[in-house]
Amino acid sequence: MASRQQASLTKCTSDKDEAYQKKGGEPNPDDYEKLYFKAEFTAMDKENRGKLTTSEFVKLMMFLGYGERWKVDELLKAVNPEGDGYITIDEFYSAMKRPGVTEGTSRLRDIFFKFDDNKDGRATKEQILQGFADMGIEVDDEIKEKINKLDTNNDGKVAYQDFVQSQLLTKGVLK
């Protein structure tokens, strides 16, 4: 699992590097938004296939807070009209760009965005712990240990993808 997470982190990092190069040092909000979307998609793609089953897509969108099942089903039909059973990353980007979807799924993104000061999809463990404290969450040893476990490559930073994946596991969406 760690090697898959590392490979995904590398992919996300290269996307971020491209975004910075194109914009002269400062990423365009669309670039880091796309980086965050890719991290959400990759966190759910537990088999690293590069696509989600329609069931995984539905679970992810509901987990992200998009709405009731009927609403997610309508979105699924809109972005995957051929109904082939899979959602590609491009179809996921298309879904996220539909009116109201980004806003309706932004809960985790908004939280992590506060920690991610340079908008590269990663935050230091200290930024996350301080952010939790600033939100009024008591930062005890258990929380510190959970954050330490999210630093999968021991570089002192947590990738948004790992943050999302941990939440998916905690809530029982992923097993």
Side-chain angles (χ1 to χ4, degrees):
M1 185 161 123
S3 62
R4 181 179 71 74
Q5 289 174 340
Q6 185 58 39
S8 298
L9 177 60
T10 302
K11 287 183 211 171
C12 288
T13 302
S14 15
D15 285 350
K16 183 267 309 180
D17 292 341
E18 289 174 24
Y20 276 74
Q21 289 169 3
K22 287 184 220 170
K23 307 298 176 198
E26 286 298 318
N28 179 315
D30 289 339
D31 293 331
Y32 54 79
E33 193 171 72
K34 192 172 181 179
L35 179 72
Y36 276 45
F37 296 156
K38 183 175 185 174
E40 292 164 355
F41 180 92
T42 305
M44 190 68 183
D45 182 14
K46 62 186 174 192
E47 295 180 21
N48 201 24
R49 297 173 307 230
K51 57 188 174 183
L52 301 177
T53 65
T54 53
S55 174
E56 290 169 335
F57 174 78
V58 168
K59 287 178 184 178
L60 177 60
M61 295 307 290
M62 292 186 72
F63 168 77
L64 291 173
Y66 183 58
E68 296 179 35
R69 175 66 191 251
W70 67 267
K71 192 173 178 183
V72 177
D73 286 341
E74 283 184 1
L75 178 63
L76 178 61
K77 287 176 190 169
V79 298
N80 188 273
E82 68 276 4
D84 63 3
Y86 292 98
I87 297 294
T88 65
I89 188 70
D90 290 333
E91 289 170 326
F92 187 72
Y93 291 150
S94 175
M96 297 308 283
K97 287 300 184 182
R98 296 184 67 81
V101 176
T102 298
E103 298 80 10
T105 61
S106 65
R107 179 181 48 90
L108 281 181
R109 243 176 273 125
D110 289 346
I111 291 169
F112 198 84
F113 195 78
K114 291 175 184 176
F115 311 144
D116 182 6
D117 64 350
N118 65 355
K119 311 307 173 227
D120 69 349
R122 300 182 315 146
T124 66
K125 292 185 283 188
E126 292 78 19
Q127 288 170 315
I128 294 171
L129 294 171
Q130 183 60 54
F132 283 164
D134 291 348
M135 289 188 277
I137 298 170
E138 183 182 338
V139 178
D140 58 15
D141 289 340
E142 182 181 350
I143 288 179
K144 288 177 185 176
E145 180 61 29
K146 286 180 181 181
I147 298 301
N148 280 329
K149 286 181 181 177
L150 292 177
D151 180 10
T152 56
N153 64 356
N154 297 315
D155 68 351
K157 295 185 177 185
V158 173
Y160 177 61
Q161 175 187 329
D162 294 331
F163 182 75
V164 172
Q165 197 164 58
S166 75
Q167 295 302 304
L168 289 166
L169 289 165
T170 298
K171 301 297 182 190
V173 177
L174 283 179
K175 294 174 179 36

